[in-house]
């Protein structure tokens, strides 16, 4: 798996390195072929209940989250899915704090935030954001260094006796852009309630070469590229380490991702359907409904194409919603007549 580290936080380099080693280690252990995360981005199809054929998603997002949580638990002092005060999130860890830590008085905080915004060219509307973040880091907690704070501001801080551990909350998001904002809000709340000291947020690095290819024909388009377009960082109210991920490669020979954490390959059947002039071969896909591939598709051809003796099934006729309503009404009336008799 390709991993892209983003955002710096004011922690000793050794502490950040320890967290990064764990997160990247848990991600790197998500594999499909050998020691690599290779994804099959073939577009599959299914029969619609109302008739016709539509594209469908074969790679399950649960494969990634479940495998990541399982991998995370293999590291000392780290857990997978965790619940604190009714808030469930994907991972939780305790990391020993190394190096010096600093604090600031509430009286100085407002002035320091104003100076920080000027020195770092942040927009004026970010005052409230950084006031809350700095209050949580340097007034409420004894866990953070001055590594990313401009030198001109160091005189306002005082060294404090550090906490023993920093509490890390992790969210691994594979959903749409709305799901990403919900995950970030969850980390904000955990930080505000003093349940975690630091957030880790993981999502697709980009849409074009990751999200939209792992899950073609779906709305799982959340990625840092999409988040950046929406100025998401204005809504981050805690120190946050970010990691983008992408497959090592794409291949039509790679297996697919099952929601229970294993990989699989659809198996060809002896059945074929035809819809709008295209023949589709039917494949069995584990515990999912049967899925379809066009006769000329590379995967379908490698499975043998349409052979003599295979059964052609008629595709259900395409029905308009009004037709479906009428059909349902007739069925209800028929049942009512039978009950009366």
């Amino acid at each position: 798996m390709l991993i892209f580290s983003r955002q710096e936080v004011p922690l000793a380099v050794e502490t950040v390195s320890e967290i990064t080693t764990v997160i990247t280690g848990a991600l790197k252990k998500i594999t499909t072929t050998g020691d690599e995360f290779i994804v099959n981005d073939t577009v599959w199809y299914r029969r619609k209940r109302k008739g016709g054929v539509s594209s469908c998603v074969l790679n399950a997002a649960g494969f990634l989250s479940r495998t990541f949580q399982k991998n995370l638990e293999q590291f000392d002092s780290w857990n997978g899915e965790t619940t604190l005060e009714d808030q469930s999130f994907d991972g939780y860890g305790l990391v020993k704090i190394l190096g010096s830590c600093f604090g600031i008085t509430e009286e100085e905080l407002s002035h320091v935030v104003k100076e920080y915004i000027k020195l770092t060219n942040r927009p004026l509307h970010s005052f409230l954001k950084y006031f809350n973040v700095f209050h949580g880091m340097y007034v409420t907690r004894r866990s953070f260094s001055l590594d990313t704070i401009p030198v001109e501001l160091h005189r306002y801080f005082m060294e404090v006796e550090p906490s023993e551990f920093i509490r890390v909350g992790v969210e691994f998001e594979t959903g749409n852009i709305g799901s990403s904002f919900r995950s970030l809000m969850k980390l904000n709340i955990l930080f505000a309630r003093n349940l975690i000291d630091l957030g880790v947020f993981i999502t697709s690095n980009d849409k074009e070469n990751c999200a939209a290819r792992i899950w073609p024909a779906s709305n799982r388009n959340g990625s840092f590229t999409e988040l950046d377009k929406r100025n998401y960082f204005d809504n981050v109210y805690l120190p946050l380490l970010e990691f983008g991920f992408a497959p090592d490669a794409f291949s039509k020979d790679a297996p697919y991702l099952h929601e229970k954490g294993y990989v699989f390959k659809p198996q060809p059947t002896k059945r074929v359907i035809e819809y709008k002039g295209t023949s589709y071969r039917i494949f069995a896909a584990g515990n999912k409904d049967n899925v379809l591939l066009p006769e000329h598709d590379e995967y379908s051809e490698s499975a043998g194409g349409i052979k003599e003796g295979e059964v052609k099934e008629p595709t259900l006729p395409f029905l308009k919603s009004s037709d479906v309503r009428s059909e349902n009404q007739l069925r209800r009336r028929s049942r009512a007549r039978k009950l009366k008799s």
Side-chain angles (χ1 to χ4, degrees):
M1 179 176 285
L2 302 177
I3 302 169
F4 307 86
S5 181
R6 299 162 47 102
Q7 296 297 342
E8 295 180 336
V9 294
L11 285 171
V13 173
E14 296 86 353
T15 305
V16 174
S17 178
E18 171 68 20
I19 297 169
T20 300
T21 296
V22 171
I23 298 300
T24 56
L27 289 171
K28 283 287 188 183
K29 289 182 180 179
I30 301 176
T31 59
T32 57
T33 305
D35 59 355
E36 292 186 303
F37 180 54
I38 299 178
V39 171
N40 195 323
D41 60 348
T42 300
V43 178
W44 287 78
Y45 299 84
R46 64 177 175 82
R47 282 188 284 190
K48 297 159 66 175
R49 287 186 178 181
K50 296 178 183 178
V53 170
S54 66
S55 57
C56 66
V57 177
L58 207 57
N59 285 317
F63 173 91
L64 288 166
S65 55
R66 283 186 173 84
T67 307
F68 173 77
Q69 290 172 358
K70 182 180 177 181
N71 295 343
L72 196 61
E73 292 172 351
Q74 306 306 309
F75 293 90
D76 292 338
S77 302
W78 287 83
N79 296 318
E81 186 172 4
T82 302
T83 301
L84 296 175
E85 292 188 3
D86 298 325
Q87 290 286 332
S88 294
F89 49 103
D90 292 323
Y92 180 77
L94 295 175
V95 178
K96 191 169 182 62
I97 294 176
L98 302 171
S100 300
C101 294
F102 294 82
I104 193 173
T105 64
E106 288 194 74
E107 292 74 20
E108 296 277 19
L109 183 59
S110 180
H111 175 71
V112 168
V113 173
K114 288 179 182 178
E115 288 298 311
Y116 177 82
I117 288 173
K118 288 181 183 178
L119 290 168
T120 57
N121 295 314
R122 299 295 200 278
L124 293 177
H125 69 257
S126 64
F127 174 83
L128 182 60
K129 164 193 167 80
Y130 285 103
F131 184 90
N132 283 302
V133 173
F134 280 22
H135 190 281
M137 290 195 299
Y138 296 113
V139 177
T140 305
R141 293 165 174 80
R142 298 174 290 111
S143 307
F144 292 90
S145 70
L146 302 179
D147 285 29
T148 62
I149 302 298
V151 175
E152 295 91 331
L153 299 178
H154 287 192
R155 67 182 187 277
Y156 294 105
F157 293 84
M158 54 192 169
E159 190 168 352
V160 296
E161 184 67 26
S163 302
E164 185 177 0
F165 295 99
I166 190 163
R167 300 164 297 172
V168 184
V170 183
E171 276 286 274
F172 186 3
E173 185 54 61
T174 58
N176 59 27
I177 200 71
S179 299
S180 296
F181 278 104
R182 285 194 295 272
S183 291
L184 291 168
M185 182 59 68
K186 188 183 298 184
L187 293 174
N188 283 337
I189 292 170
L190 291 168
F191 181 74
R193 291 184 178 181
N194 200 18
L195 298 174
I196 63 172
D197 305 311
L198 175 76
V200 169
F201 179 68
I202 309 163
T203 194
S204 304
N205 197 56
D206 64 69
K207 180 178 176 179
E208 183 179 1
N209 298 304
C210 186
R213 292 191 66 181
I214 298 177
W215 302 285
S218 80
N219 67 346
R220 290 189 171 274
N221 57 5
S223 67
F224 279 116
T225 301
E226 296 298 308
L227 286 167
D228 285 335
K229 290 178 182 177
R230 293 163 175 80
N231 299 314
Y232 78 102
F233 207 66
D234 287 350
N235 296 298
V236 174
Y237 282 71
L238 80 162
L240 186 70
L241 286 173
E242 300 173 342
F243 297 87
F245 74 88
D248 292 297
F250 292 91
S251 171
K252 300 297 183 185
D253 296 322
Y256 294 89
L257 319 179
H258 195 281
E259 60 187 5
K260 292 187 177 180
Y262 59 84
V263 295
F264 70 100
K265 285 193 174 184
Q267 298 301 308
T269 69
K270 292 289 186 180
R271 293 177 293 156
V272 175
I273 65 169
E274 190 166 312
Y275 178 67
K276 289 188 175 181
T278 300
S279 293
Y280 293 87
R281 190 156 186 195
I282 301 176
F283 288 76
N287 62 351
K288 293 179 178 288
D289 293 336
N290 289 337
V291 291
L292 315 172
L293 273 185
E295 174 186 8
H296 57 74
D297 185 274
E298 186 178 325
Y299 189 95
S300 184
E301 289 178 352
S302 69
I306 297 175
K307 297 178 180 179
E308 186 178 350
E310 289 182 326
V311 179
K312 277 204 171 187
E313 298 183 359
T315 303
L316 293 174
F318 180 79
L319 299 177
K320 297 178 182 178
S321 58
S322 58
D323 295 333
V324 175
R325 284 197 298 271
S326 299
E327 193 173 285
N328 289 339
Q329 288 170 357
L330 289 172
R331 287 174 181 170
R332 284 195 294 270
R333 289 171 186 168
S334 176
R335 285 197 296 268
R337 284 196 294 270
K338 287 180 181 179
L339 287 173
K340 285 181 181 179
S341 62

